[in-house]
């Protein structure tokens, strides 16, 4: 039995978002010949456990808000570095999944 020490599935979603945006930023910078010297990404999400636990039907199950912040240093003008982050956001598959309504189907086979 676990000790309740690991990340939860909803925390993995935040990690996936940070990883996708950060990796995208690094790839785009490399493709454009911009040397990055430091990248820090922070992702925070507001979630009300009453929704997940089913204790309040008026509270959604997932995050109410997600915030991403970057500290980026590199050999380019500040506006160029901001542009790289914006391009990463536009190309991020995880950002798209989180911010768009993606159809999900669930199939259940009951074995007996």
């Amino acid at each position: 039995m676990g000790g309740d020490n690991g990340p939860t599935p909803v925390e993995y979603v935040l990690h996936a978002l940070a990883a996708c945006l950060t990796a995208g930023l690094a790839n785009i910078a490399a493709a454009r010949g911009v040397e990055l010297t430091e990248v820090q990404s922070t992702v925070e999400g507001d979630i009300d456990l009453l929704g997940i636990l089913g204790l309040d039907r008026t509270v959604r199950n997932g995050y109410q808000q997600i915030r991403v912040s970057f500290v980026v240093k590199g050999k380019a003008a500040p506006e160029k570095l901001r542009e790289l982050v914006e391009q990463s956001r536009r190309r991020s598959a995880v950002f798209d999944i989180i911010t768009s309504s993606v159809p999900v189907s669930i199939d259940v086979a009951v074995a007996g």
Side-chain angles (χ1 to χ4, degrees):
M1 183 140 242
D4 198 25
N5 295 345
T8 65
V10 293
E11 290 167 330
Y12 277 120
V13 170
L14 295 182
H15 180 266
L17 179 59
C20 190
L21 290 170
T22 305
L25 170 61
N27 288 334
I28 292 164
R32 294 185 182 180
V34 175
E35 183 181 338
L36 299 176
T37 56
E38 180 180 344
V39 175
Q40 294 177 24
S41 57
T42 303
V43 181
E44 300 173 300
D46 299 327
I47 195 163
D48 187 335
L49 295 179
L50 294 178
I52 291 175
L53 298 174
L55 299 175
D56 186 340
R57 292 178 187 247
T58 65
V59 176
R60 68 176 294 163
N61 291 336
Y63 289 108
Q64 284 82 35
Q65 182 180 12
I66 296 173
R67 292 171 303 285
V68 181
S69 61
F70 281 94
V71 174
V72 182
K73 294 180 185 176
K75 296 184 179 178
E79 55 274 0
K80 181 69 170 178
L81 297 174
R82 285 187 189 90
E83 179 184 306
L84 295 173
V85 173
E86 176 55 24
Q87 179 65 20
S88 178
R89 184 202 60 81
R90 285 193 305 268
R91 303 306 325 146
S92 170
V94 176
F95 184 89
D96 179 71
I97 290 166
I98 291 172
T99 60
S100 302
S101 180
V102 178
V104 177
S105 61
I106 298 175
D107 183 39
V108 178
V110 178

